[in-house]
Amino acid sequence: LFMDLPLIGGDEQPHAPHLAVTAQPWPGSVALYGAQSDADYVLEEVLAAASTIAITNTVLPAGALGRWERGADLEVDMITGQFQSRDRTAVLNGANLVAIGDGSPGNWELLQFAKAELIAPGRYLLRDRLRGQQGSDARMPVAWPKGSYVVALDGTPQQITLAANQRGLSRHYRIGTARRPYDDPSYVHLEAAFAGEGLRPYAPVHLRQKGVLGSGAVGLDWIRRSRTDGDRWDLAEIPLGEDLERYRLRIRRGRDVLREELLDSPGWSYPVAAQTADAVAPGDRVEVAQVSARYGAGAATALRLV
């Protein structure tokens, strides 16, 4: 499983994906070969340990952010490895971090859990969860369906070698036992491209409207988040995390963009003349995303205008 993930510890290569591998039986070590086309492969990584990977047996609906989720238990069946309960202090310090996704490289939510109850051989109930960690709330769907993958981010999945200029380019990979050549029939052939999720700005929060459409200028303001050092409590303001502070604001009606503005501060006044020119109406939507010089516009937060 390739996983294009946001920054976790902050010392990762932000554009390079992680790779989780397993096999039954485990061959001792697994080799990753890469190439621009399906030929002339070069050895890129050797992974010595299998990752802890599970498959969900139940649906996981979207959950609340910033607080413990006590919804229905998430039931998972292990492919390899095992889970264990940890106290909440350990979880708040980073323990029991997993990625849940559909198996495609760019669609993973990071979550944590405190309790793992073994209810049958290789089957666990995961409860007391923290959802959408490290800005991955932008990847949280309405529900993760049964059959989703859960991968422990315990240091075993490794980042692969990927040059910065290869970000976004489709590459070929062959993955199999390191004791055999890459053209052995046992090797898995995958083709993938990676957007560089670690470069993606988080969605801003607390988007607010001041004033009512048609009755005067409407004020909009929000609070930015940071993908680097965002949990510091000893600073007046968290680090920017980007070269410049910049936001893309869009006024939308369905898929149509009525107006787009590039801003350098977390606020904007929507004048009456602009409202009239856009023919904006209550129920239209404002979207705000922070902009990265390397990634472009990140995840957006949205609000229905009134």
Side-chain angles (χ1 to χ4, degrees), residues 34-46:
Q36 294 297 100
S37 60
D38 192 16
D40 302 323
Y41 285 89
V42 174
L43 177 65
E44 295 189 346
E45 308 289 344
V46 175

Side-chain angles (χ1 to χ4, degrees), residues 209-283:
Q209 176 182 346
K210 298 178 182 178
V212 179
L213 291 174
S215 64
V218 169
L220 295 164
D221 60 61
W222 54 90
I223 296 175
R224 66 173 174 83
R225 293 192 287 169
S226 177
R227 59 189 177 85
T228 59
D229 292 333
D231 286 332
R232 295 285 299 273
W233 291 86
D234 57 339
L235 302 175
E237 189 172 5
I238 60 172
L240 178 61
E242 308 298 337
D243 295 333
L244 297 171
E245 185 170 8
R246 185 165 294 173
Y247 305 93
R248 185 190 70 189
L249 181 146
R250 286 177 170 175
I251 307 295
R252 305 191 67 144
R253 178 175 298 151
R255 295 186 176 182
D256 297 330
V257 177
L258 306 181
R259 176 174 293 270
E260 179 171 313
E261 301 281 346
L262 282 178
L263 309 168
D264 57 10
S265 62
W268 182 61
S269 179
Y270 196 4
V272 173
Q275 297 175 39
T276 302
D278 299 341
V280 67

Side-chain angles (χ1 to χ4, degrees), residues 6 56 58-74 91-92 95-101 108-114 126-145 148 150 202 225:
T56 61
T58 53
V59 173
L60 180 64
L65 303 176
R67 62 180 184 267
W68 293 98
E69 179 187 68
R70 297 188 179 90
D73 297 341
L74 177 62
V91 174
L92 291 173
N96 279 354
L97 178 67
V98 300
I100 181 170
W108 297 91
E109 176 198 345
L110 303 191
L111 64 84
Q112 293 174 270
F113 61 90
L126 307 181
R127 61 174 69 99
D128 287 4
R129 299 176 295 265
L130 295 173
R131 301 292 302 276
Q133 300 292 73
Q134 310 302 119
S136 64
D137 51 295
R139 298 295 184 193
M140 186 192 302
V142 174
W144 289 110
S148 298
V150 177
Y202 293 1
R225 293 192 287 169

